[in-house]
Amino acid sequence: MSARSDTALAAGDDFNRRLVRLDDGVGAILAAQAAEPEDPLLALYAATVHLYGQQAAANARAGELLAQVAGAPVDLSARDLMMLSALQSICRGRYHVARDRLEAVTVDYPGDLLAAKVCEFAYYLLGQQQSGPRFRAHMQRLAPHFGDDPDLLGMLAFAHELSDDFAEAEAVGLRAIAAESRNPWAEHGLSHALIRQGRAAEGRDRMRAFLPALKTCDPLIFCHDVWHLALLELDLGDVAAARTILFDDVWGDYPGTSAQQVDAISLAWRLEMAGE
């Protein structure tokens, strides 16, 4: 591939860091791609953001960007071609194919944390609970390459929880938070593990304490983690607190993606079952 500009390189690095951490500003890659529309990796990463939106218009835009990358007059690396193929499969709804191709990326490039994170998304699209054991095996394969990396550990903790290994999910989640305290995905995995063990009060207190930091993270994970806080409140019988979270936070200012709308709808349904 021809030499890329310093700004494109910096934007790509920033996107990688923010997506794997679920940090605020992931969407900045869209402006970077618009400023340098000929850069194929910026287009690849912008398409990834659109695919996470799970909306028809966003999916269509992702398809346009991926077609642009496929037709770019440059030589992409083998890794980038594999990522392109995987993202095209997500765009077409072929999630099993995307999963297999993303797993293949991390076989050839075991240090590729972005591919691992996008593969986690593919497991979610396929049904994260049934994908749990495969997700865990994937993260365990990568773990020796990452040591105490907080983002890999956050994914591994969630994979343990989905595989019903709550003790290991908690232990690994706490390791992730020890390595990086501002870790919304590790807190998410802990919330899963604690409520499923009947430790709702502990989970609620953890998530409440994390809220100031959570507000500085990506809106998508902010919405989902406060949704978990609402479930913990409901489990403890505080319907009013859960209702406040629904209107102030889960719906709040961020109703624009399918995932956020699903969180709002499912919380409203739970509130209704609780007598609202």
Side-chain angles (χ1 to χ4, degrees), residues 230 234 238-249 267 271 276:
L234 279 175
D238 195 338
V239 176
R243 182 177 61 244
T244 297
I245 290 168
L246 170 64
F247 290 110
D248 289 355
D249 299 314
L267 180 53
L271 281 162
E276 290 289 292

Side-chain angles (χ1 to χ4, degrees), residues 27-161:
I29 196 68
L30 302 180
Q33 188 277 325
E36 299 196 49
E38 302 305 315
D39 188 287
L41 287 188
L42 294 185
L44 197 72
Y45 296 152
T48 304
V49 170
H50 285 299
L51 290 172
Y52 267 78
Q54 297 180 265
Q55 302 245 328
N59 201 66
R61 179 56 182 151
E64 294 170 359
L65 288 166
L66 295 172
Q68 174 186 321
V69 175
V74 296
D75 294 325
L76 294 174
S77 70
R79 177 267 182 190
D80 296 336
L81 287 170
M82 295 168 77
M83 288 294 295
L84 171 61
S85 178
L87 293 173
Q88 287 173 324
S89 296
I90 292 176
C91 194
R92 295 165 183 159
R94 302 176 66 199
Y95 305 137
H96 290 86
V97 175
R99 176 202 61 199
D100 293 349
R101 290 177 179 171
L102 289 161
E103 288 175 346
V105 173
T106 66
V107 169
D108 291 348
Y109 305 93
D112 195 330
L113 198 55
L114 181 69
K117 191 66 178 176
V118 178
C119 194
E120 181 184 60
F121 180 53
Y123 295 132
Y124 158 76
L125 293 170
L126 286 165
Q128 61 187 21
Q129 199 72 45
Q130 70 178 24
S131 296
R134 183 164 180 158
F135 177 19
R136 178 168 63 172
H138 187 183
M139 296 302 106
Q140 287 175 321
R141 170 168 61 81
L142 298 182
H145 299 277
F146 286 93
D148 279 338
D149 181 277
D151 301 311
L152 187 282
L153 289 174
M155 288 191 281
L156 177 57
F158 187 36
H160 279 303
E161 188 279 328

Side-chain angles (χ1 to χ4, degrees), residues 222-241:
F222 170 77
C223 176
H224 190 60
D225 273 6
V226 295
W227 177 84
H228 274 283
L229 175 58
L231 299 195
L232 292 158
E233 299 285 14
L234 279 175
D235 200 65
L236 294 165
D238 195 338
V239 176

